[in-house]
Amino acid sequence: MWNHPFVDRIFEALRNVAYGPAVLAFVPATSLGAFWLGGERALVAVALGLPLMIAGLGAMAPNPADRKRQQGGLLPNDQFETVLAEVLTDSRRSGETSACFAVILDDYMQMLDLHGQAAANHVAQQFCSRVMSMIRASDSATRIDGNKMMVVLHPAQQLDLETCIQMSGRMQSAVEDPIMLNGTGVYLSCSIGFCLSSNVPDGTATDWCNAANNALQEAQQNGPSTIRAFSSETRRRAQVRTNLRKEFDAALESGEIRPWFQPQISTDTGRVSGFEALARWEHPKKGVLGPNVFLPFAEQAELMGKLGQAMRHHAFCAMREWDRAGLTVPRIGINFSSDELRDPGLIDRLKWELDQCDLTPDRLAVEVLETVFSRGPDDVITRNVTGLAAIGCCIDLDDFGTGHASIASIKRFNVSRIKIDRSFVTKADQDPSQQQLASAILTMAERLNLESLAEGVETPGEHALMAQLGCDHVQGFGIGKPMPFEKTKGWITSHCNKIDGMPKIGRQTG
């Protein structure tokens, strides 16, 4: 009936007064005043007129019930989308403010891998209950997967940025209390992004939801247990990410994303013992981009499997070309993401890819992060890693010393080689404590009959020390920087010519 916001607010205010408990205090006084001033006729008129007036206000004013808003609380996804649109419309009509929140559990997948699906379900239920306990009955929420929730607040006059930050902090405090699993407290953090309805003045409910998710992405990029609000700068960065994500998918198809190769050297012979394939995006306008720029887009867009296939294709073709040129490159190291290792068909696909380039599995070093080795023995990743070792691939334990691998898990996964993280190698020739750590790791590797490779070797002193301590291979800027395939042939030939006739770096200190 009435569709002007100002008129709506007037009738809403009159309606609240007329139906509020305060008006009851004035009914006797009004009746007595009418009788004193006008006698019985005035009293009858007031007694009949007041109810009629209140009923008329109820008929003329916009009734919230007419909006048919869904009941608050935990809703299915489709009902939540409907409520989100209604709340946005209501907030614009009334001039009040609402907010949409995106809340996600950090490290949920790692918890799932460590404790199993039943424990993850329990944690997800606790997460949902704790978030719901922090919102009002009139607010609405929905679950997205096990570790994410969307929340929309009922419009209010006093809702502002500071209030939303305080509410986010209360959600975090509730979620981050320990959750009991088999008598042990498990601590999880959560990240939150939110957007006020006033920040999407012309947007749809979908735009509002996307804005909250964009704020959440920024929160996750700034570390666990972080809160971010959507702003114009967030909108700009989100647009840049969207454009890059689209470009990334197209770049995979066009071959702009391919491996660059960093050499690995034997400390016994000084000769090339392999290359590690490192993803690079040769962007036509932005130049060469490292994985820290585009891997987040690949993960969010679920393109890690496609990226892995492209990397293996280029790397195996490079091995074939080196073989045809008569250059000795015994092995190629390729990083395998968790998404790839969760693929049940990985081993069969890998066998086919190797056959296409006439390569045997022992020419491939599968590089796996230490965090993988804390997973349960029945996990798909575990079966794939042990299956890759069974067909003859070398299993490299990457960034050793920074994760959670145990000696038992190293043996269970049939690890062939450990890659010592650069944090243990840097200035090891100058710092006695660094040297002790590197020596302890190498002694363990020798006792377990594992090969060893030191990453991040940048100086001749670090190279010499790693050789003297018994490290089998070295890799780093001091040996060679990552380079495109076109430069590898020249580098290999130059390196071979340089070491011919030169004495080896011995392992004996004398």
Side-chain angles (χ1 to χ4, degrees), residues 238-422:
Q239 187 60 49
V240 170
R241 286 196 299 269
T242 300
N243 293 339
L244 275 175
R245 191 178 297 118
K246 292 177 181 177
E247 290 183 39
F248 177 81
D249 196 7
L252 279 176
E253 297 292 341
S254 64
E256 290 177 8
I257 298 175
R258 58 175 183 150
W260 282 29
F261 301 93
Q262 187 171 31
Q264 299 165 342
I265 302 299
S266 168
T267 55
D268 275 342
T269 65
R271 297 191 178 276
V272 175
S273 58
F275 278 90
E276 180 179 3
L278 301 167
R280 295 292 186 271
W281 183 355
E282 298 174 1
H283 197 284
K285 295 181 180 179
K286 298 181 175 65
V288 178
L289 304 178
N292 59 307
V293 175
F294 58 80
L295 281 186
F297 308 138
E299 291 173 352
Q300 292 165 11
E302 299 182 349
L303 292 172
M304 291 301 292
K306 190 174 181 180
L307 173 62
Q309 291 183 37
M311 288 290 292
R312 292 195 299 272
H313 170 74
H314 289 295
F316 294 163
C317 289
M319 289 286 283
R320 182 175 58 190
E321 292 302 314
W322 290 326
D323 290 347
R324 289 175 177 175
L327 300 173
T328 303
V329 180
R331 188 182 292 164
I332 188 79
I334 301 178
N335 290 277
F336 280 64
S337 69
S338 295
D339 287 348
E340 292 178 271
L341 292 173
R342 286 193 182 96
D343 180 5
L346 174 64
I347 295 178
D348 290 336
R349 183 180 300 109
L350 186 62
K351 287 179 180 178
W352 181 86
E353 292 169 348
L354 288 166
D355 287 342
Q356 294 300 302
C357 294
D358 297 321
L359 299 175
T360 54
D362 61 293
R363 305 283 301 278
L364 171 64
V366 177
E367 299 196 4
V368 183
L369 291 173
E370 254 194 295
T371 50
V372 170
F373 291 83
S374 61
R375 304 177 190 274
D378 296 328
D379 188 78
V380 174
I381 293 181
T382 304
R383 294 196 296 272
N384 270 337
V385 173
T386 54
L388 290 169
I391 66 173
C393 296
C394 172
I395 305 298
D396 280 3
L397 181 53
D398 203 5
D399 296 341
F400 182 80
T402 62
H404 313 283
S406 66
I407 294 177
S409 63
I410 290 173
K411 299 303 290 184
R412 187 179 79 238
F413 281 82
N414 296 322
V415 172
S416 309
R417 181 168 65 178
I418 59 172
K419 298 185 70 175
I420 304 172
D421 187 72
R422 63 185 306 160

